[in-house]
Amino acid sequence: MLVLLPPSEGKAPSGGGAPLELGALALGGLTTAREAVLGELVELCSGDEDKAREVLGIGEGLRGEIAKNAGLRTAGARPAGEIYTGVLYDALDLGSLDAAAARRAAKALLVFSGLWGAVRVTDRIPSYRCSMGVKLPGLGALGAYWRAPMADALPEAAGGGLVLDLRSSAYAAAWRPKGEVAGRTATVRVLHSRVVDGVEKRSVVSHFNKATKGRIVRSLLTAGAAPRNPAKLVEALRDLGYVVEAEAPGRAGKAWALDVVVSEIH
């Protein structure tokens, strides 16, 4: 099973560890593309600060992010699972997994990134600021830039098993499973169900959506579930107590669409 996750906008500090070793990151086929993005980002943030803020889409109060990006090559690095924070990662709570579940996480989880393309949670990276929606002056829109290198690297990473795609739309644009891989891919939407005047109403809630996705991944990891395809994933999630409505693709080359329906927001 390969689980595709979005990064978090907020990130923990880099810390004082050894700096980034770009060639040591997983998915080595992305190294050249990573070097190009890293080089342009560092150059951008080492120059005109106002221009860098405009390109990165960050406000006056986040000027410190520019200096942080400028020092990425020498900053300390930590496992990506410790760098990414926020609602999904709080619910996933990688640090509290037992040893067996942590090993499963290291093999299964892949976090997409505007800067790195995609990394394993065990890959050591510095804290940074660069979303997939950024358009760098030289490389252009990162969502489009990553498509070619991802097209080679991601099918190999997916292997022959299930792909559970929990990415947001901006990060999904960097790689869309095609062909046979798409047929064993499942996307998940979280719906909040409530009864109003005797009628069921369903809605998507962003914060709750992220938290539930984090809990889903944690449940699968701690249970040792290893579904080989979307149909088996539906069975596994139902066994874990989730209410799941599944829609198989109408034609070959399309992903399964899963709705996880919940009645409580927390």
Side-chain angles (χ1 to χ4, degrees):
M1 177 173 66
L2 182 68
V3 182
L4 310 181
L5 298 174
S8 59
E9 186 169 334
K11 299 173 183 68
S14 294
L20 170 74
E21 293 183 37
L22 203 59
L25 300 181
L27 305 184
L30 299 179
T31 301
T32 300
R34 288 167 175 155
E35 176 59 47
V37 179
L38 177 63
E40 183 163 352
L41 183 63
V42 169
E43 181 178 1
L44 171 70
C45 293
S46 299
D48 187 307
E49 188 176 273
D50 289 331
K51 178 183 177 181
R53 284 200 303 112
E54 180 181 357
V55 170
L56 297 178
I58 61 179
E60 175 72 28
L62 294 174
R63 281 184 175 270
E65 299 293 288
I66 304 303
K68 183 168 70 175
N69 281 351
L72 283 172
R73 293 191 184 276
T74 56
R78 297 166 59 187
E82 298 177 12
I83 290 290
Y84 294 115
T85 59
V87 176
L88 187 154
Y89 291 91
D90 286 347
L92 176 53
D93 197 8
L94 289 168
S96 70
L97 293 175
D98 63 33
R103 287 193 294 270
R104 296 182 196 111
K107 293 179 180 179
L109 306 188
L110 199 63
V111 184
F112 273 60
S113 162
L115 175 53
W116 316 114
V119 292
R120 300 285 187 185
V121 293
T122 50
D123 281 338
R124 296 179 65 259
I125 59 173
S127 183
Y128 66 96
R129 186 78 172 217
C130 183
S131 73
M132 193 67 80
V134 164
K135 185 176 182 180
L136 291 174
L139 298 177
L142 291 177
Y145 171 80
W146 282 112
R147 285 175 198 153
M150 289 285 195
D152 293 328
L154 266 294
E156 181 179 352
L162 168 73
V163 178
L164 175 54
D165 190 352
L166 302 178
R167 297 172 297 167
S168 55
S169 58
Y171 291 89
W175 180 66
R176 300 189 187 280
K178 296 180 180 179
E180 185 268 338
V181 179
R184 48 187 166 84
T185 296
T187 62
V188 172
R189 181 175 62 165
V190 180
L191 297 179
H192 177 219
S193 172
R194 65 195 189 282
V195 177
V196 179
D197 296 330
V199 178
E200 184 193 25
K201 303 286 187 179
R202 291 183 175 184
S203 60
V204 177
V205 183
S206 178
H207 177 98
F208 184 51
N209 173 61
K210 294 175 183 177
T212 303
K213 286 180 177 179
R215 285 192 284 270
I216 286 171
V217 177
R218 183 179 178 86
S219 296
L220 292 169
L221 293 174
T222 55
R228 295 288 298 174
N229 55 55
K232 292 296 184 183
L233 172 65
V234 173
E235 292 179 13
L237 290 175
R238 287 173 176 166
D239 288 345
L240 289 167
Y242 292 94
V243 177
V244 182
E245 298 175 356
E247 181 181 345
R251 58 186 175 88
K254 294 293 183 180
W256 283 56
L258 274 57
D259 283 342
V260 175
V261 184
V262 293
S263 57
E264 296 181 0
I265 294 180
H266 59 91

